[in-house]
Amino acid sequence: MLTIDLYTFGTPNGHKVSIMLEELGLDYTVHKVDISKDQQFDPAFLKISPNNKIPAIVDHRGPEGHPLPLFETGAILMYLAEKTGQFWPRDPEPYWRTVEWLMWQMGGFGPMLGQANHFNKLAKETVPYGQQRYTGEARRLYGVLDTRLAKVPYVAGEAYTIADIATWPWARFHPWHGVEDLAEFPNLKRWYDEIAARPAVARGLNVPKQEE
């Protein structure tokens, strides 16, 4: 029996969890939730993800063997890392660095880049203030990440962690954020290219399968 159901769509947030599952080598079943058709508002999905956002999971072998539904990507990544003992160092300093940078992604690098996506590519009308505000903030956050990666090989430090898995999918859309060429941020580009070459990352990006 496959123990994890993944409810997802092909977005940066969706790819965080599919990449994590592929990195862990866990068996899982994909349930496509097409947000372009408002399927995230289906009552059955809302029982799993009450904030009507993808992704969400149900681990049928959760704590004490009971099914555990989870939404919010940060919570899902932390849960899977703790469940398997992978991609989240246990020594106190790298443990908290991982939490720190994961929270940075959840509170800044995701939401602000998402707003840049919206105003630069998806808005039904041109809103110069929105474009300027969020493109500027996105570029500032790229600079923060580049400065960090000048000091350490990965976002949280010496090891590849859930902080990298959470951050990398958003950087894929850098042209939408006012960063046409990642070479402008050479430390970030080095990190980005290294993670892009990981086989599990390539597999995770194909969830749901592109032909679907």
Side-chain angles (χ1 to χ4, degrees):
M1 173 183 174
L2 296 174
T3 62
I4 295 177
D5 287 321
L6 169 63
Y7 298 82
T8 192
F9 196 58
T11 69
N13 283 333
H15 286 147
K16 293 178 191 178
V17 176
S18 56
I19 288 171
M20 180 65 167
L21 289 165
E22 290 292 339
E23 290 281 14
L24 293 170
L26 296 177
D27 289 331
Y28 62 100
T29 300
V30 177
H31 303 272
K32 183 177 179 180
V33 179
D34 191 338
I35 61 176
S36 70
K37 299 177 181 177
D38 290 338
Q39 292 178 354
Q40 70 273 28
F41 297 104
D42 184 275
F45 179 66
L46 288 173
K47 291 180 180 179
I48 300 166
S49 182
N51 196 35
N52 60 267
K53 302 289 185 182
I54 62 91
I57 67 168
V58 177
D59 181 1
H60 293 282
R61 295 182 183 173
E64 299 182 354
H66 301 300
L68 177 69
L70 275 178
F71 70 102
E72 285 294 330
T73 56
I76 295 169
L77 293 176
M78 293 168 76
Y79 171 75
L80 292 173
E82 186 168 291
K83 178 183 176 76
T84 62
Q86 297 186 62
F87 304 119
W88 192 1
R90 307 318 291 176
D91 289 341
E93 198 278 338
Y95 175 95
W96 286 110
R97 288 286 166 249
T98 301
V99 173
E100 174 181 61
W101 284 95
L102 178 64
M103 295 303 104
W104 175 83
Q105 190 286 316
M106 298 295 298
F109 199 73
M112 295 299 102
L113 271 55
Q115 291 296 328
N117 283 359
H118 176 78
F119 284 104
N120 290 332
K121 294 293 182 180
L122 303 175
K124 294 181 180 179
E125 60 184 85
T126 300
V127 184
Y129 174 78
Q131 291 177 326
Q132 181 180 4
R133 167 72 177 89
Y134 290 108
T135 299
E137 179 63 3
R139 289 183 56 82
R140 185 190 72 81
L141 290 164
Y142 274 89
V144 171
L145 185 56
D146 188 67
T147 297
R148 172 63 175 169
L149 291 168
K151 302 173 183 177
V152 289
Y154 298 102
V155 174
E158 297 300 318
Y160 176 68
T161 70
I162 53 176
D164 300 284
I165 294 170
T167 304
W168 185 89
W170 279 100
R172 290 183 65 227
F173 293 91
H174 58 88
W176 288 29
H177 311 142
V179 180
E180 291 298 327
D181 189 348
L182 280 181
E184 184 177 351
F185 299 97
N187 305 299
L188 194 158
K189 186 177 188 306
R190 181 267 307 161
W191 165 86
Y192 179 89
D193 290 344
E194 179 180 335
I195 293 176
R198 295 177 70 94
V201 171
R203 294 193 301 271
L205 292 177
N206 195 35
V207 176
K209 291 187 182 298
Q210 294 179 7
E211 61 268 22
E212 297 177 352

